[in-house]
Amino acid sequence: MQKITPFLWFDNQAEEAVKFYTSIFKNSKIGSMARYDEAASAAAGRPKGSVMTASFVLEGQEFIALNGGPLFKFSEAISFVVNCDTQKEIDYYWDKLTDGGEESQCGWLKDKFGLSWQIVPSSLSKLISGPDTGKSKRAMAALMKMKKLIIADLENA
């Protein structure tokens, strides 16, 4: 068991979200699903038998999804970074995670559940903070104009 596990609060889409995320990431699996019993259902106001929590793993990272109701929403204050080695990887994750969601700037997006992701090249930190400050500034300027990041455009800046 890992020491720190992200715990994601959904209204009532935890099971759908877990299936969605594990269908996108190759090295993933769905773990256990706890369902609201009669007592928990009465206390939480959630339907008896519906999913309360679902554990899952994406690329070796454990997560737990909770159906907790509409009280809390996701914001950009928390996001998950997906480091990609190729443009093909960036394109894949961008297309899958924006399906039903929305694109933002600088490699950021929100998926259909409102969760924020950053789809970035693994080389991004070297590109924007390398020893050649002129090239780093040009790469940062190029990045600021993009939604989905294009590795070749960042490298050629």
Side-chain angles (χ1 to χ4, degrees):
M1 174 179 247
Q2 67 193 29
K3 195 168 250 337
I4 298 173
T5 302
F7 197 92
L8 306 173
W9 182 299
F10 295 87
D11 179 0
N12 60 8
Q13 317 93 327
E15 186 172 10
E16 178 188 354
V18 167
K19 289 177 180 176
F20 178 69
Y21 298 139
T22 56
S23 76
I24 293 171
F25 291 89
K26 305 295 186 249
N27 181 21
S28 66
K29 66 180 179 177
I30 298 173
S32 62
M33 289 202 190
R35 300 196 176 270
Y36 281 99
D37 63 15
E38 196 166 321
S41 171
R46 308 303 296 170
K48 180 181 174 194
S50 66
V51 170
M52 180 171 55
T53 61
S55 65
F56 62 108
V57 176
L58 304 177
E59 299 295 339
Q61 173 68 50
E62 295 176 27
F63 294 83
I64 297 177
L66 165 75
N67 278 331
L71 189 60
F72 300 111
K73 304 285 185 210
F74 294 122
S75 82
E76 291 83 355
I78 296 290
S79 64
F80 294 109
V81 177
V82 179
N83 291 295
C84 301
D85 293 329
T86 66
Q87 189 64 49
K88 184 177 179 179
E89 266 191 292
I90 288 175
D91 295 345
Y92 170 81
Y93 289 115
W94 188 266
D95 292 345
K96 294 291 186 183
L97 290 167
T98 57
D99 185 17
E102 60 187 72
E103 298 180 354
S104 190
Q105 293 298 118
C106 305
W108 286 62
L109 63 88
K110 279 189 181 181
D111 67 29
K112 64 184 176 180
F113 305 104
L115 189 59
S116 293
W117 298 81
Q118 297 177 56
I119 311 302
V120 302
S122 301
S123 60
L124 183 61
S125 64
K126 287 184 232 172
L127 290 167
I128 63 172
S129 63
D132 181 340
T133 57
K135 183 166 180 59
S136 294
K137 285 181 183 180
R138 290 190 304 276
M140 180 58 89
L143 177 138
M144 297 301 288
K145 295 176 186 172
M146 295 181 195
K147 289 189 176 194
K148 177 175 72 174
L149 300 186
I150 308 299
I151 295 172
D153 292 352
L154 294 169
E155 291 174 341
N156 295 329

